Amino acid sequence: MHRHAGLPCIPCIYSPTLSKDSTQLTQYTTLLAKSFTMAPLTHLFVTLSILSLLSCSINAQLSPTFYDKTCPNLQTIVRNAMRQALNKEARMGASILRLFFHDCFVNGCDGSILLDDTATFVGEKNAAPNQNSARGFEVIDTIKTNVEAACSGIVSCADILALATRDGIALLGGPSWAVPLGRRDARTASQSAANNEIPSPFSDLPTLKSMFADKGLSPSDLTVLSGGHTIGQTECQFFRTRIYNETNNIDTQFATSRKANCPASGGDTNLAPLDSITATRFDNNYYRDLVAKRGLLHSDQVLFNGGSQDALVRTYSTNSVAFFRDFAAAMVKMSKISPLTGTNGEIRKNCRVVN
């Protein structure tokens, strides 16, 4: 999961404590090496083992307590800024969640989506899934400014985005969870990966399963993470085909109501809520919509269309406790996709540009 080129980590039995202190780890491995009288081949094995242990220390595991000593007020700062942002526009919770999702699906949760294009740098903001639709960057900028004022050069933009996502969901009535922290920021971005690795609203179920599997996420993860569509809106151009051409798995009254704001031609950017019942509250009504054939996007309704995910959709439609529990767990899992840790990447001073 880590972007570390070199020897794979041997089992890091001591890493939970030693990885926090590379000096302690070096002392330990030095003693380990001195404690044996070895033939040259064994010397080589221990040397390689030491290097592998040091590799594990560089790739220290993410931890919710990562900033407890270096930036103790971090979580309060992020929560307060998100509360202000949502008070201005409740939709922002969904926008930040989408940023995080699109960040994690492109080379891992490394803040690459936050980077602006320049004359010499091509970022991900103008990739097809993000262009003129990814939003919330100013909110992340504000949080970064506030965090830098409290503890300069400590907290990554990638971690700020992860925390802001969790807080946006919780403040809109959804679950909360302990966010694993310790990510560092990418110095690179990939527009091509953003174009090819972020699922499309037109994707069918096999394609969605495959794209999630490529990120280490299961079909169950796909179904529960799609529940993030219980908040937010989407543009007419992304659901026009569904409401005009799909007739077997869509409620006719629902389709008619959506056509009022999404003509057969024109109005591409007209918005409609993804959740027809409570678009600004994080709840399980998204799944009730699917069961009632009121999923707005094709990629939503395929989760409940006589296939493998029907049973789970039914469960979530009647059991919000199960949905909240599984959503939080899947968000933690997604947040661990290929983080940059240790000495990889950097801590950006400005989330929009590399240092």
Side-chain angles (χ1 to χ4, degrees):
M1 299 296 282
H2 297 290
R3 296 184 202 174
H4 177 74
L7 292 166
C9 287
I10 62 172
C12 299
I13 298 172
Y14 300 91
S15 63
T17 54
L18 294 177
S19 65
K20 298 177 182 177
D21 187 343
S22 59
T23 302
Q24 184 182 2
L25 180 59
T26 303
Q27 292 171 345
Y28 166 78
T29 50
T30 300
L31 289 172
L32 179 67
K34 289 181 178 179
S35 66
F36 293 97
T37 301
M38 299 159 287
L41 183 60
T42 313
H43 272 297
L44 176 61
F45 174 78
V46 171
T47 301
L48 292 176
S49 298
I50 292 169
L51 290 173
S52 187
L53 279 168
L54 289 171
S55 163
C56 292
S57 76
I58 291 172
N59 288 331
Q61 294 298 306
L62 303 179
S63 167
T65 62
F66 188 84
Y67 298 110
D68 280 7
K69 293 183 178 179
T70 55
C71 194
N73 294 323
L74 170 63
Q75 308 234 9
T76 300
I77 294 169
V78 176
R79 176 64 67 102
N80 288 343
M82 281 304 297
R83 183 178 287 107
Q84 292 176 356
L86 293 176
N87 285 341
K88 292 180 181 177
E89 183 189 19
R91 182 189 173 197
M92 191 54 66
S95 299
I96 297 297
L97 170 58
R98 186 168 183 263
L99 279 186
F100 187 57
F101 179 83
H102 284 201
D103 185 39
C104 291
F105 261 63
V106 180
N107 297 328
C109 311
D110 59 5
S112 58
I113 195 172
L114 304 174
L115 292 168
D116 284 342
D117 285 6
T118 69
T120 57
F121 182 89
V122 177
E124 297 162 14
K125 290 184 178 181
N126 286 309
N130 298 326
Q131 190 173 35
N132 300 321
S133 64
R135 60 197 301 274
F137 299 107
E138 295 80 6
V139 173
I140 301 301
D141 291 341
T142 296
I143 299 173
K144 178 64 171 176
T145 297
N146 295 346
V147 170
E148 286 294 300
C151 35
S152 180
I154 300 295
V155 182
S156 68
C157 299
D159 277 343
I160 287 173
L161 180 56
L163 287 169
T165 300
R166 186 271 313 271
D167 288 345
I169 289 166
L171 288 166
L172 290 175
S176 188
W177 58 90
V179 178
L181 300 169
R183 299 168 194 79
R184 289 168 65 84
D185 296 320
R187 296 188 180 98
T188 60
S190 177
Q191 188 177 99
S192 62
N195 280 325
N196 294 308
E197 297 179 20
I198 296 173
S200 159
F202 309 107
S203 297
D204 57 21
L205 185 56
T207 299
L208 290 170
K209 285 183 176 180
S210 176
M211 296 185 81
F212 273 68
D214 287 344
K215 306 302 176 183
L217 298 170
S218 69
S220 296
D221 294 326
L222 158 65
T223 299
V224 74
L225 289 172
S226 295
H229 283 176
T230 186
I231 52 176
Q233 303 181 67
T234 191
E235 296 179 351
C236 168
Q237 61 181 318
F238 300 125
F239 62 87
R240 177 183 286 117
T241 300
R242 168 143 171 78
I243 62 175
Y244 284 95
N245 297 350
E246 296 181 23
T247 57
N248 295 330
N249 66 344
I250 190 167
D251 177 82
T252 55
Q253 289 185 337
F254 172 73
T256 299
S257 69
R258 289 292 168 261
K259 288 176 183 177
N261 194 42
C262 183
S265 62
D268 284 0
T269 59
N270 292 356
L271 294 171
L274 288 160
D275 175 335
S276 71
I277 307 169
T278 50
T280 58
R281 182 164 182 81
F282 197 98
D283 53 30
N284 66 335
N285 281 333
Y286 165 82
Y287 297 102
R288 295 180 184 179
D289 273 345
L290 297 187
V291 172
K293 299 183 180 181
R294 294 195 300 260
L296 185 59
L297 299 175
H298 177 81
S299 59
D300 289 327
Q301 195 60 55
V302 295
L303 298 175
F304 189 83
N305 194 33
S308 62
Q309 301 307 295
D310 282 20
L312 190 55
V313 169
R314 281 196 184 276
T315 295
Y316 291 151
S317 73
T318 60
N319 190 336
S320 61
V321 173
F323 168 46
F324 279 24
R325 177 197 65 219
D326 294 351
F327 184 85
M331 285 296 291
V332 170
K333 185 176 179 181
M334 185 178 75
S335 78
K336 294 180 178 179
I337 297 175
S338 304
L340 295 172
T341 59
T343 57
N344 295 316
E346 65 182 15
I347 304 298
R348 277 184 226 141
K349 298 175 183 177
N350 178 338
C351 291
R352 294 174 179 265
V353 295
V354 297
N355 292 344

